[in-house]
Amino acid sequence: MNEVDVIYKFDYEYDKNKLIEESNNVKFFPINQKNMDRLNRLGLYRFESLETEDKEWFRDQKTWKYSSQIEKNEGTEVSRIEEDFKKILKVDHLDPKFLSQEVGTKVTMHRDAGIKCAINFLISGTSTPIIFKDVGEFNYVNALINTDELHAVPEQTDEPRLIFKLRTNHISFSEARQRLADAELLRA
């Protein structure tokens, strides 16, 4: 396995300031076992758990967070980006979320629960690398990520990091990578 199997970096124009403003309209919750269990009980997601190599960290961590459901109002940057990528990826549904990583937070090796791949857009903070087990470490601004492979993020040191993420379980990473390339979203 190598870089082409886990990450596809590309250029794409979007308004970071609008996304940051839109992120202020959602609540954030720690990505941990307690909240995964709550989402399952509410019927919002159906999965056992995030697959992680450090179950204790995942049970208790509070500083790596995801957003509540994002309202997809016409005219928002979230809606514009989501619609663009639904067309590019040829899917009917994407699940947009914001993720925050506070200073001092590291994210241990894990596979994202319930999704095959995701497109991440770094909208504030520094480009902390993503590390894929047995593959390597990669910095990005915009990238398709193979969330089905074990990956981690080292400790955020200088400032909090905010990511806008489009998640899907409708196509594989390799299918999504090919569709991004076909749409001429050039590698960054």
Side-chain angles (χ1 to χ4, degrees):
M1 185 168 301
N2 56 42
E3 179 178 355
V4 71
D5 300 311
V6 294
I7 189 167
Y8 181 84
K9 299 181 256 185
F10 60 88
D11 290 324
Y12 177 78
E13 300 263 331
Y14 56 95
D15 189 330
K16 286 184 180 188
N17 291 327
K18 273 182 131 179
L19 283 175
I20 291 168
E21 184 179 313
E22 292 170 26
S23 76
N24 292 326
N25 297 323
V26 296
K27 292 182 180 178
F28 284 84
F29 302 94
I31 302 170
N32 59 31
Q33 191 62 55
K34 175 183 157 193
N35 283 321
M36 293 285 186
D37 291 345
R38 182 179 63 82
L39 291 172
N40 276 330
R41 279 193 310 277
L42 293 172
L44 298 174
Y45 289 102
R46 292 279 178 234
F47 42 73
E48 296 297 314
S49 175
L50 186 79
E51 184 181 331
T52 179
E53 291 189 340
D54 188 345
K55 300 271 186 212
E56 187 174 317
W57 170 83
F58 177 58
R59 186 186 68 235
D60 298 327
Q61 83 79 31
K62 293 179 177 48
T63 56
W64 177 44
K65 300 176 181 179
Y66 67 98
S67 67
S68 58
Q69 196 67 34
I70 298 172
E71 286 192 37
K72 300 176 212 172
N73 298 324
E74 193 172 317
T76 63
E77 191 69 348
V78 165
S79 290
R80 185 188 72 76
I81 295 168
E82 179 185 21
E83 290 305 314
D84 277 357
F85 281 91
K86 281 168 48 177
K87 289 175 189 164
I88 291 167
L89 298 175
K90 300 174 185 166
V91 296
D92 293 329
H93 177 76
L94 291 171
D95 184 19
K97 294 284 184 200
F98 290 103
L99 289 169
S100 70
Q101 183 183 1
E102 295 177 17
V103 171
T105 302
K106 72 175 183 173
V107 180
T108 63
M109 283 289 171
H110 68 282
R111 285 185 178 92
D112 292 14
I115 61 173
K116 294 180 181 179
C117 61
I119 297 173
N120 287 5
F121 304 88
L122 177 64
I123 57 176
S124 73
T126 55
S127 178
T128 303
I130 187 168
I131 302 164
F132 286 92
K133 188 172 186 170
D134 301 325
V135 180
E137 183 175 303
F138 309 96
N139 283 73
Y140 67 90
V141 176
N142 310 317
L144 173 69
I145 306 292
N146 187 343
T147 55
D148 221 18
E149 295 298 328
L150 280 171
H151 58 284
V153 180
E155 183 175 332
Q156 189 67 18
T157 56
D158 296 332
E159 58 184 321
R161 188 169 78 131
L162 184 64
I163 290 175
F164 175 61
K165 181 179 206 107
L166 294 171
R167 309 176 329 160
T168 185
N169 63 1
H170 299 286
I171 59 174
S172 69
F173 172 83
S174 61
E175 290 170 307
R177 182 187 65 226
Q178 186 59 54
R179 291 176 187 176
L180 290 172
D182 290 348
E184 298 181 356
L185 286 179
L186 302 176
R187 289 185 65 88

